[in-house]
Amino acid sequence: MVAFRKATSKTSALIIAAIVLIIIAAIAGYYAGLSSAPSPTPASPTTVTTVTTVTTVTTVSPTPTATPVAKQLIIYHWWTAGGEKEAIDAVFKVFKEKYPDVEIVENPVAGGAGAVMKAVIWGLLASGTPPDTFQVHAGGELKEYVDAGYLAPVDDVWKDMGLEEVIPSTLQAMCKFNGHYYAVPINVHRSNVLWYNPKIFEELGIIDKFGDPRTWDLNTFLEVARYIKENKPGVAPVALATRNKWPLTHLFEVLLVLHGGPETYVKFWAGKFDYKNPDDPVWSAVRDVLKTIAIMAKEGLFNSNHPELTWDQAAALVYQGKAAMYVHGDWVAGYFMSVGAKYGEEWAAAPFPKSVFILLSDSFNLPKDAPHPEIAVDWLKVVASSEAQENFNLIKGSIPARTDVSPKYPDPYRPETAEDFKKSTLVPSAVHGGISKEAFVTEMHNILTSLVTSATAGADVDTAVNAAIQQIMQAIDRSGVVSFWEGYTIDYFITKR
Amino acid sequence: MFSDEFREKLIFLAPILFVISILYVMIGISIYVSMSDWRSYQISLNFVGLRNYEALFSNPRFYTALKNNIIWIILFMGPTSILGLVIAYIMVSTGKEMIFRTIFLLPTAISMTVAGTLWVWMYAENGAINTLLKALNLGFLARPWISDPSIALYALIFVTIWQYLGFAIIIFEAAIKGIDPSLIEAAQIDGASSFQIFWDVIVPQVRHGFLVAVPLLALSALKIFDIVYVATRGGPGLATDVLGYFMWETAFWQRFMADGAAIATIIFAISLGIVIPYALIALRRWFR
């Protein structure tokens, strides 16, 4: 009896050991087979879809030329919120009509601007199991994948679809590295817009007194803010949201273009100036902008609860009449419309400044080891088509990347911005992955929020600004932004008009 | 070669040893990555020595995050374990364990991200806490809890105390119940008050409870990340920045995997500093 029990316990231990070993071997095999180096394991909610990708690839990996049996398009994107999801579904619909036999394997990863998805995609790319295509901001963010050698050129798509004729040169530059196109843009958002409450503006006669916001300079902006504070103390002159930090960097980006002009802007974000020399003219423009932000913080011209708000909550202050102005991207228009705020009464918008258009763009690409490269190219052609661009952007609240597509916009904001896209000087947004390097922008988030924090606490403005400039110098060094853009000229990014 | 008994033990231990060894291999890889030049999407494992550590030690943000982490560990570990013990004692001595356990364990069951979001709403300038204070005529206590950089860190530490209290209570409840009841009875017969019983009988007897709770709580505070990410992203400024968040931002937003691994290695070293003394004390107790 004892011997029998001993035997069974041994058998079951062996079985358990065998099962565990098989599981471990499977995991080890998966990693070893795909890459000898360790890969970052994405902490992602997409376990199920990751498994599908794995099985697909193991059949393909020995011979990349082998045609997979299933006709699938494996796609990753971060459009999960209301409005965004419907927009990408509209593109899927166009794709389905053209290629009814292809199954779309959609992997939406929630998280603003792909904060989570980037980690997931990195894991897939590094382990050699990429999807067929994934969403990425055109510009520097795209370049990081290109530099790492994860993407295949898509020059043919650009040529076949004649995109060079209909897409402005700045946006071309944001997709083109080392002489090849690596992505197809689907939309364009504008980063530099001043949102304001028309009732407050009318009541205080701001436009009569200071002119059209489209023509304001940095000083006027500060004066207006002070004027509002003086005459309507219950209202925050400028709405701000720093809980996620980046909206402050966004404000900085817009004010830098406003004050320094497009060239200074590009020089700063791409590190293309003598940044070790504090007398460089770029620093003087940056210093002015930092000073303005610090003064505004010190004089209480921002809503005091900005560290607890996200960008949409700050936008809400404007239409609710709790704040007068807000500098933010044009997804705010979509937000205002979704909450039913009335244009002309509760909100109005002015390009800020009108002469420059800071743009950001979402794009799709073709990873090198994509399991279904031909289907991915078909997808990119759909993305580039007038039909998809029109359907997508009508819902998303952005404008098409193609200038030859002009949908009938239901809102009063977009016709002007679509017009400006054809007529204003274009530069890529830094905060939204167009220019600069995310490593540098991330440091800017911390430097700028620290500046605002110390100025609010009463620190001397000049001391605080000097400290910030020192930190920015170190951040430029540390982040490697200078070498990142080596070989690219300032003019490459600017469409002068 | 081996005795039967030893072979049997080996068979039982082999699977778990294998699983654990994977963890140690991963730690080894992390430490190697921290000494590599992997600073982009492209995996790059060229050895660069301690360069990443030097860069880290010359970055003022590292010291801010480290300081916040140390404050967090001290202000979280102490109150949580002491409150946990007191409440566990009240709970056991009153016999209302079900009610207490339900009340205090509920926050522990909530995920940190949910708790973080809830508390940001409650901490808001016009949020629940300030509204309540004003209604109670305590308006002078109302504060912009997480907008004010001088108190934001403490506001977040409080949330973690609120969350982990249930956990500490459970540990001390078990410890108190493990005390020989005759000791308490003897004290009662001698006419000790319940405070005296608590202080002179219970506290010395639950040392092993502290031995379990304190290192575990310290480790939780050391690897804190989720609430910072959800509530403040280390803000206002860097007021609530911690090593865990710094590591994540460096590794995944800046794509400086090597630098991120260096921060991770330092977190690992600090955690060893917490775990090793604990393990030594525990081993000494068991093998006495």
Side-chain angles (χ1 to χ4, degrees):
Chain A
M1 191 60 198
V2 174
F4 170 73
R5 202 179 291 157
K6 207 170 174 185
T8 38
S9 62
K10 258 187 190 171
T11 325
S12 49
L14 281 172
I15 292 170
I16 293 168
I19 293 171
V20 172
L21 281 175
I22 289 167
I23 293 170
I24 293 164
I27 297 168
Y30 164 47
Y31 277 99
L34 305 169
S35 151
S36 53
S39 64
T41 319
S44 81
T46 53
T47 347
V48 180
T49 43
T50 321
V51 171
T52 4
T53 328
V54 172
T55 42
T56 327
V57 168
T58 37
T59 55
V60 179
S61 55
T63 43
T65 42
T67 17
V69 187
K71 284 190 123 187
Q72 285 184 327
L73 174 76
I74 302 166
I75 175 168
Y76 275 73
H77 64 83
W78 62 72
W79 286 312
T80 53
E84 300 177 341
K85 203 200 163 306
E86 288 79 0
I88 188 68
D89 282 348
V91 185
F92 290 151
K93 205 175 149 224
V94 176
F95 184 81
K96 271 273 170 200
E97 276 161 15
K98 281 197 180 144
Y99 307 97
D101 55 334
V102 175
E103 183 198 353
I104 298 175
V105 183
E106 196 191 346
N107 301 272
V109 183
V116 181
M117 203 189 90
K118 278 176 204 161
V120 175
I121 286 290
W122 188 359
L124 293 175
L125 291 171
S127 63
T129 56
D132 292 315
T133 186
F134 62 92
Q135 180 188 359
V136 60
H137 280 143
E141 264 181 51
L142 173 65
K143 184 175 183 288
E144 288 194 52
Y145 293 104
V146 175
D147 288 353
Y150 289 136
L151 299 181
V154 292
D155 297 319
D156 291 345
V157 176
W158 276 71
K159 212 169 126 202
D160 293 352
M161 302 297 290
L163 292 181
E164 281 192 344
E165 279 93 69
V166 291
I167 288 180
S169 65
T170 296
L171 188 46
Q172 285 180 26
M174 289 159 74
C175 299
K176 192 177 188 179
F177 304 103
N178 314 322
H180 293 287
Y181 289 105
Y182 284 94
V184 175
I186 191 166
N187 68 344
V188 164
H189 271 296
R190 186 176 199 164
S191 139
N192 59 320
V193 183
L194 181 83
W195 309 91
Y196 61 92
N197 184 305
K199 269 188 204 148
I200 298 174
F201 264 44
E202 213 165 287
E203 194 188 322
L204 299 177
I206 289 185
I207 292 177
D208 296 336
K209 206 171 157 59
F210 297 95
D212 190 324
R214 288 168 180 78
T215 61
W216 289 355
D217 59 12
L218 184 65
N219 242 333
T220 320
F221 180 60
L222 178 61
E223 267 174 52
V224 172
R226 280 175 170 155
Y227 182 78
I228 294 168
K229 172 99 179 166
E230 219 168 90
N231 293 286
K232 227 172 153 42
V235 164
V238 179
L240 181 66
T242 59
R243 181 169 160 195
N244 291 343
K245 293 191 172 178
W246 63 265
L248 177 59
T249 318
H250 189 120
L251 171 68
F252 172 82
E253 148 179 318
V254 174
L255 295 184
L256 186 61
V257 146
L258 180 71
H259 185 61
E263 263 144 44
T264 304
Y265 170 91
V266 171
K267 278 181 191 165
F268 175 76
W269 284 114
K272 292 201 170 292
F273 65 112
D274 186 9
Y275 68 92
K276 284 181 180 147
N277 172 15
D279 299 324
D280 193 278
V282 171
W283 279 127
S284 85
V286 170
R287 183 182 295 273
D288 290 343
V289 173
L290 293 177
K291 224 170 154 172
T292 307
I293 290 175
I295 289 171
M296 292 177 84
K298 193 167 185 173
E299 294 181 5
L301 304 178
F302 298 122
N303 48 306
S304 62
N305 62 343
H306 61 83
E308 64 204 36
L309 302 187
T310 50
W311 70 266
D312 49 324
Q313 292 170 314
L317 297 178
V318 173
Y319 86 79
Q320 292 164 350
K322 291 177 187 164
M325 304 183 281
Y326 183 37
V327 176
H328 206 74
D330 62 6
W331 42 97
V332 169
Y335 169 74
F336 282 148
M337 286 182 278
S338 76
V339 294
K342 283 196 193 79
Y343 177 79
E345 279 177 50
E346 290 171 315
W347 66 278
F352 194 60
K354 188 166 173 69
S355 56
V356 184
F357 190 116
I358 306 181
L359 73 103
L360 53 132
S361 172
D362 293 296
S363 68
F364 284 97
N365 49 30
L366 174 64
K368 254 184 197 157
D369 303 320
H372 316 95
E374 283 122 45
I375 296 172
V377 167
D378 290 341
W379 162 255
L380 294 178
K381 285 183 178 165
V382 167
V383 166
S385 70
S386 313
E387 192 189 356
Q389 298 238 335
E390 176 163 345
N391 294 356
F392 176 83
N393 287 294
L394 267 175
I395 306 171
K396 174 74 168 68
S398 40
I399 59 169
R402 295 175 65 130
T403 47
D404 63 334
V405 181
S406 16
K408 291 246 172 313
Y409 297 111
D411 54 283
Y413 164 73
R414 274 183 290 174
E416 181 180 358
T417 208
E419 192 63 24
D420 285 353
F421 185 52
K422 293 176 198 162
K423 289 181 181 162
S424 304
T425 296
L426 304 180
V427 287
S429 161
V431 179
H432 303 281
I435 199 173
S436 199
K437 189 181 180 205
E438 205 173 359
F440 177 47
V441 178
T442 304
E443 295 229 32
M444 284 299 288
H445 299 333
N446 291 318
I447 295 167
L448 292 172
T449 45
S450 297
L451 171 71
V452 163
T453 304
S454 64
T456 311
D460 176 59
V461 168
D462 283 315
T463 320
V465 167
N466 282 335
I469 286 179
Q470 284 301 320
Q471 289 165 6
I472 296 173
M473 279 182 188
Q474 287 162 9
I476 292 176
D477 253 342
R478 248 199 315 263
S479 61
V481 63
V482 179
S483 56
F484 186 67
W485 288 114
E486 224 163 75
Y488 294 84
T489 61
I490 300 158
D491 295 333
Y492 186 70
F493 303 102
I494 306 176
T495 309
K496 277 192 194 122
R497 282 157 172 171
Chain B
M1 192 172 123
F2 296 123
S3 71
D4 258 10
E5 198 193 335
F6 184 77
R7 204 176 300 158
E8 200 165 287
K9 279 182 184 166
L10 204 65
I11 289 171
F12 275 101
L13 274 175
I16 194 71
L17 282 179
F18 202 88
V19 173
I20 289 175
S21 70
I22 289 179
L23 171 73
Y24 288 97
V25 168
M26 290 296 186
I27 291 173
I29 292 173
S30 279
I31 293 173
Y32 181 76
V33 167
S34 77
M35 290 187 274
S36 74
D37 61 350
W38 184 359
R39 301 184 94 226
S40 74
Y41 277 132
Q42 177 67 56
I43 298 171
S44 170
L45 296 172
N46 303 314
F47 185 76
V48 297
L50 296 175
R51 210 175 63 194
N52 297 323
Y53 289 93
E54 282 163 24
L56 188 62
F57 294 142
S58 67
N59 187 345
R61 183 175 172 193
F62 171 71
Y63 298 98
T64 312
L66 182 65
K67 190 190 81 193
N68 288 343
N69 249 130
I70 292 170
I71 295 175
W72 205 309
I73 291 173
I74 294 167
L75 292 187
F76 164 73
M77 194 175 68
T80 312
S81 45
I82 291 165
L83 268 176
L85 173 59
V86 171
I87 293 170
Y89 175 62
I90 297 171
M91 188 164 130
V92 174
S93 58
T94 54
K96 301 262 190 298
E97 287 173 53
M98 270 306 283
I99 301 168
F100 273 94
R101 214 182 289 150
T102 313
I103 292 172
F104 288 104
L105 256 187
L106 212 57
T108 313
I110 298 175
S111 89
M112 199 57 121
T113 41
V114 174
T117 311
L118 282 176
W119 278 89
V120 167
W121 290 340
M122 293 206 282
Y123 277 141
E125 238 172 43
N126 298 313
I129 292 174
N130 286 345
T131 312
L132 196 68
L133 286 173
K134 281 171 196 156
L136 294 171
N137 279 328
L138 292 167
F140 63 93
L141 285 176
R143 294 230 174 346
W145 298 102
I146 56 169
S147 293
D148 183 344
S150 60
I151 48 177
L153 181 64
Y154 308 106
L156 291 192
I157 293 175
F158 180 77
V159 178
T160 50
I161 294 176
W162 171 83
Q163 261 227 303
Y164 277 86
L165 196 54
F167 167 77
I169 289 171
I170 295 293
I171 290 178
F172 285 111
E173 185 196 359
I176 291 170
K177 283 188 163 172
I179 299 173
D180 187 349
S182 62
L183 280 174
I184 299 170
E185 276 167 33
Q188 277 168 339
I189 291 164
D190 285 346
S193 68
S194 42
F195 176 76
Q196 277 174 319
I197 293 177
F198 175 71
W199 190 248
D200 294 328
V201 181
I202 305 286
V203 172
Q205 293 287 324
V206 295
R207 268 183 314 202
H208 60 286
F210 278 103
L211 212 55
V212 175
V214 165
L216 287 178
L217 291 174
L219 287 180
S220 311
L222 179 66
K223 63 180 190 190
I224 203 88
F225 163 78
D226 26 21
I227 188 167
V228 174
Y229 178 74
V230 170
T232 60
R233 301 257 167 110
L238 290 173
T240 58
D241 199 30
V242 287
L243 291 174
Y245 181 71
F246 183 24
M247 168 183 79
W248 186 81
E249 208 177 84
T250 308
F252 291 104
W253 274 8
Q254 299 199 287
R255 261 81 80 182
F256 292 163
M257 197 46 98
D259 305 63
I263 304 171
T265 306
I266 287 168
I267 298 177
F268 177 64
I270 300 173
S271 67
L272 281 186
I274 296 169
V275 170
I276 287 176
Y278 160 73
L280 286 180
I281 297 169
L283 288 176
R284 203 175 300 151
R285 275 175 58 93
W286 286 328
F287 291 109
R288 197 166 39 189

